[in-house]
Amino acid sequence: IEALKSKKDFIREMAVSILGDIGSSFDAREAIPHLITALGDSDEVICARAINALGKIGIKISSDSIAVKQIIQGLMEVLKNYKYTPNQKDRSSKILIEIGKPALPLLKEAFENEKDEEVKKVIREIIEKIQKAIKKNNETSKKNGKDGARLSEAETSTQSFTVADPLGFHIRPATALAKKAMEFNSLNFQAQNGMEVFANVKSVLQLITLGVHKGSQIKITVTGGTPEERERALSELGKI
């Protein structure tokens, strides 16, 4: 977070990107106000990366109403302010759509209060796309019913591992684990520590943020593929 205050562009660029990769960890939530400030950075690359970072965090923590509200308000400013480029506005719109239902109340309020007709048009389009996606998801859920729930459960395998490294889950084991997970292209991996912090096993940065020490347990959930593929993947990961 302190790196966001650096006078060197490349350091701020790196800090913004890392915070986006960290995603829904505590530090990333704490960084939201700083990332919103970075939206006004004179460096267009930093601004673009700040938009992406806020999007990654917002999508992952959509249940945190306070944090999501901050992110939505920041992205709304991008839509409303003419100093931002069309690409930046377009990316902000897509992120708001991806955040989905939690964004609706603020978007509707913004629509009612907005005076600029062009901005109102953009907000209306975002609202309509979110509502359309919600309706489609509801219809899909009703159609799949219990069969869909059983299928989803059948496509998931989970196993817990105890960290044996004296230094805990540092860069070396995290890199080895991510490298091994990436060998299974058709599978998705999620790691979870005892504090309900989640990480994509294919991301070294996210694994490090789990903060796991020697003797701690991490739970790895594998989705996709066949049961045999998932069990083989868990077995391979357990050897690292």
Side-chain angles (χ1 to χ4, degrees):
I1 293 173
E2 287 299 313
L4 289 172
K5 303 174 185 177
S6 173
K7 294 181 179 180
K8 296 181 178 180
D9 291 350
F10 77 93
I11 293 179
R12 299 201 310 280
E13 290 174 9
M14 187 180 299
V16 168
S17 296
I18 289 173
L19 286 170
D21 286 335
I22 290 174
S24 59
S25 73
F26 175 79
D27 287 341
R29 293 173 192 238
E30 191 178 72
I32 290 172
H34 301 281
L35 288 169
I36 291 174
T37 300
L39 292 174
D41 199 288
S42 57
D43 187 313
E44 286 192 10
V45 174
I46 293 175
C47 176
R49 291 187 180 183
I51 292 172
N52 287 332
L54 287 169
K56 288 180 181 179
I57 296 172
I59 293 165
K60 291 181 180 179
I61 62 171
S62 58
S63 60
D64 186 330
S65 58
I66 296 176
V68 170
K69 183 176 181 179
Q70 289 179 305
I71 292 172
I72 293 170
Q73 289 173 335
L75 295 175
M76 287 297 298
E77 285 303 311
V78 175
L79 295 180
K80 293 159 65 174
N81 198 314
Y82 286 99
K83 77 175 183 178
Y84 294 101
T85 67
N87 285 339
Q88 291 167 344
K89 290 176 181 289
D90 183 60
R91 180 57 184 149
S92 296
S93 295
K94 289 179 179 177
I95 289 171
L96 288 167
I97 293 169
E98 289 175 15
I99 291 175
K101 190 175 182 178
L104 277 178
L106 282 175
L107 286 168
K108 290 178 178 178
E109 182 181 342
F111 178 80
E112 293 297 327
N113 297 329
E114 183 57 51
K115 300 292 189 282
D116 188 310
E117 289 301 322
E118 286 299 316
V119 175
K120 288 192 74 166
K121 179 181 177 182
V122 172
I123 297 174
R124 182 170 57 246
E125 289 175 353
I126 295 172
I127 291 172
E128 289 174 351
K129 287 180 179 179
I130 292 175
Q131 290 174 332
K132 184 177 180 180
I134 292 172
K135 182 179 179 181
K136 183 177 180 181
N137 288 338
N138 289 340
E139 290 174 348
T140 301
S141 297
K142 290 178 181 178
K143 182 178 180 181
N144 290 339
K146 294 180 181 179
D147 290 339
R150 285 197 294 267
L151 178 61
S152 177
E153 186 176 348
E155 290 177 345
T156 300
S157 298
T158 302
Q159 188 169 336
S160 294
F161 301 93
T162 301
V163 177
D165 195 298
L167 299 177
F169 218 46
H170 55 89
I171 187 71
R172 189 177 297 169
T175 301
L177 195 66
K179 185 177 180 181
K180 176 58 67 175
M182 284 189 284
E183 293 178 8
F184 299 90
N185 294 326
S186 62
L187 302 179
N188 295 311
F189 301 83
Q190 185 182 70
Q192 178 186 357
N193 69 6
M195 298 173 63
E196 300 299 314
V197 177
F198 296 86
N200 177 359
V201 181
K202 294 182 181 182
S203 168
V204 176
L205 276 172
Q206 290 191 31
L207 285 173
I208 293 174
T209 63
L210 287 173
V212 179
H213 306 289
K214 181 184 178 182
S216 300
Q217 282 205 335
I218 59 171
K219 182 170 73 175
I220 296 181
T221 301
V222 187
T223 56
T226 64
E228 291 76 18
E229 288 174 326
R230 295 195 298 275
E231 292 306 316
R232 183 167 67 86
L234 287 170
S235 176
E236 292 290 323
L237 293 179
K239 295 175 184 178
I240 296 175

